Amino acid sequence: MKASWDIFCTAVDNFGDVGVTFRLARQLVAEHDMKVRLWVDDLSAFVRLCPGADAKAELQWHDGVQVCFWPGDWQPAEPADVVIEAFACRLPPAYIEAMKARNPRPLWLNLEYLSAEEWVTGCHGLPSLQSSGIQKFFFFPGFRPSTGGLLREAGLIDRRHAFEQNPTARQAFLADLGIYPQADARLISLFAYEHAGLGSWLDCLAHSQAHSSVQDAQPTHLLVPEGRIISDVERWLGVDGLRAGAVHVRGDLTIQVLPFVRQKDYDLLLWCCAFNVVRGEDSFVRGQWAGRPLIWHIYEQDDDAHWAKLDAFLELYLAGLSEDAGQSLTQVWRNWNAGQDMTQSWSALEKHRDELTRHAERWCLERALQDDLTTALVQFYRNWI
């Protein structure tokens, strides 16, 4: 008999939480034959990730997942065998009471945000007895073997390698999005939050010969999915109302605005690029599976806790890089996340293109040796039964 799973997700001000939980739900169904309900309190965010979804439907099915609207006025629902409280959201009190009355009681998991901090390894999998009398277990995604791992579908890396070796497939995908780069252009994707120093980076790309000390300076085709960074791009271009399909050329830089693509297409977009700027959690992980150098625009927290998370990841990621390349990458990431001028740090980073590309692929393959997050969750449930 299939185990049933309820995943609860609140959409805050971005798409990352919904993106992670929908990936998880799809994989539970497709690869582990589970029965999954995904409860989302704001379906408008879900619609952006899943074309064909209905923002007003109380119940709908997508990729085998039962997607349910999580209303403020909660209606009774039978709890599942496994209940996931994603990213510190709070279950409806009436649902917790139903969990308490259920026999046997469900496995209650708090799926935490991704972090490379070492303390995570000591907290992963620990139980906490709640006032309801039910134990809740804390499950931490992570980069170390002693954590829950990262979301990764079966065969993902092999599919990427096959795509990379098929120029026709790459060209067809880009053409479907209306992307026709120059033959010698470097593709870069830009999916980021607002960034006060973005103009200095765009200046570097627009004047690659002047800002680069490498001999193979080349034109850049920058692909910008619609999102929060658009206003900064508009400011640099001196235009208003950028929409999907817009193309602007400044010197060595072509900027093209793309529609907000579905998750599967976003993977292909990352695979087409030589460098990716990613944000939050979901696109950050997908950027790593792309095996390309990247900048991580981490989600800013009021207490500056994001800096500790950024530094903890860099401490792991820099292992195996030369000292110069590691210092250059660190400075670019710190400047980007502080909204500072990018001119000098980006120019220094450009000297290490080849080394960073080799390192990104190596890092990807090493992380792929660890069980993926979904498999780890299923195994945790089976061990708990």
Side-chain angles (χ1 to χ4, degrees):
M1 183 177 179
K2 292 183 180 181
S4 58
W5 295 59
D6 273 341
I7 304 174
F8 287 83
C9 173
T10 55
V12 188
D13 59 348
N14 298 294
F15 304 102
D17 293 0
V18 179
V20 169
T21 52
F22 187 44
R23 285 191 194 278
L24 170 61
R26 289 204 316 265
Q27 193 177 356
L28 283 167
V29 171
E31 298 179 19
H32 299 278
D33 198 29
M34 300 295 177
K35 181 181 178 182
V36 183
R37 288 187 300 197
L38 175 60
W39 297 89
V40 183
D41 68 340
D42 181 4
L43 289 172
S44 62
F46 177 72
V47 168
R48 295 292 299 275
L49 296 169
C50 183
D54 185 348
K56 297 181 179 180
E58 294 186 1
L59 188 154
Q60 53 195 306
W61 291 85
H62 297 282
D63 295 335
V65 177
Q66 186 178 1
V67 181
C68 306
F69 175 61
W70 177 0
D73 181 18
W74 179 257
Q75 301 300 312
E78 177 67 22
D81 298 315
V82 184
V83 178
I84 294 181
E85 194 176 52
F87 311 123
C89 70
R90 293 289 181 262
L91 299 181
Y95 186 89
I96 295 177
E97 287 301 310
M99 290 169 62
K100 187 176 177 180
R102 189 181 187 272
N103 188 20
R105 285 181 175 174
L107 170 62
W108 186 0
L109 296 168
N110 185 359
L111 180 63
E112 295 284 350
Y113 284 105
L114 174 65
S115 177
E117 293 170 287
E118 191 170 3
W119 66 264
V120 165
T121 62
C123 297
H124 173 63
L126 290 184
S128 174
L129 186 62
Q130 304 298 295
S131 58
S132 62
I134 309 175
Q135 278 192 330
K136 177 165 63 173
F137 293 85
F138 292 90
F139 208 91
F140 285 84
F143 304 93
R144 306 171 191 266
S146 48
T147 65
L150 305 171
L151 277 176
R152 184 187 76 254
E153 298 83 6
L156 177 67
I157 310 303
D158 289 339
R159 289 197 297 277
R160 170 168 69 82
H161 289 159
F163 181 80
E164 291 168 341
Q165 295 166 16
N166 189 340
T168 302
R170 177 180 183 274
Q171 186 176 18
F173 169 74
L174 293 173
D176 283 344
L177 290 175
I179 302 168
Y180 299 95
Q182 299 177 39
D184 61 340
R186 169 179 58 172
L187 293 184
I188 296 180
S189 75
L190 172 62
F191 184 56
Y193 305 118
E194 296 85 351
H195 176 32
L198 182 70
S200 62
W201 183 61
L202 296 178
D203 284 338
C204 291
L205 299 179
H207 308 287
S208 59
Q209 294 290 344
H211 288 282
S212 177
S213 60
V214 295
Q215 297 300 313
D216 59 344
Q218 61 187 132
T220 296
H221 196 118
L222 186 66
L223 305 173
V224 190
E226 290 178 312
R228 291 170 55 172
I229 196 68
I230 290 293
S231 59
D232 293 307
V233 177
E234 289 177 338
R235 189 175 303 111
W236 184 78
L237 286 171
V239 301
D240 293 318
L242 281 180
R243 297 289 184 271
V247 178
H248 291 265
V249 179
R250 296 289 188 276
D252 299 324
L253 174 63
T254 299
I255 296 176
Q256 182 167 356
V257 181
L258 304 181
F260 196 96
V261 297
R262 61 179 183 170
Q263 289 183 326
K264 294 177 183 177
D265 287 343
Y266 183 63
D267 281 331
L268 297 181
L269 180 66
L270 294 172
W271 299 352
C272 286
C273 292
F275 193 99
N276 295 299
V277 181
V278 294
R279 76 182 204 193
E281 180 171 326
D282 187 50
S283 63
F284 176 44
V285 172
R286 305 316 284 193
Q288 291 172 68
W289 295 138
R292 304 290 195 276
L294 74 163
I295 293 173
W296 178 26
H297 198 169
I298 191 171
Y299 185 75
E300 183 176 346
Q301 296 175 276
D302 293 335
D303 57 358
D304 283 342
H306 58 287
W307 285 110
K309 293 183 178 182
L310 188 80
D311 290 340
F313 176 78
L314 282 172
E315 184 178 352
L316 293 178
Y317 187 78
L318 297 182
L321 273 176
S322 68
E323 183 177 356
D324 286 348
Q327 289 178 350
S328 297
L329 184 65
T330 298
Q331 197 58 54
V332 162
W333 282 35
R334 293 193 68 83
N335 285 358
W336 186 285
N337 282 282
Q340 296 176 347
D341 187 281
M342 299 287 296
T343 305
Q344 293 185 355
S345 60
W346 180 256
S347 296
L349 189 72
E350 288 277 59
K351 302 175 186 178
H352 306 286
R353 280 190 201 176
D354 293 342
E355 182 183 355
L356 290 168
T357 300
R358 293 192 299 270
H359 179 74
E361 178 69 6
R362 183 169 62 249
W363 169 266
C364 168
L365 297 179
E366 289 173 353
R367 300 287 80 70
L369 296 175
Q370 183 179 351
D371 279 344
D372 66 272
L373 176 64
T374 307
T375 298
L377 281 163
V378 171
Q379 190 58 52
F380 190 90
Y381 167 62
R382 288 173 176 162
N383 292 340
W384 177 83
I385 296 175

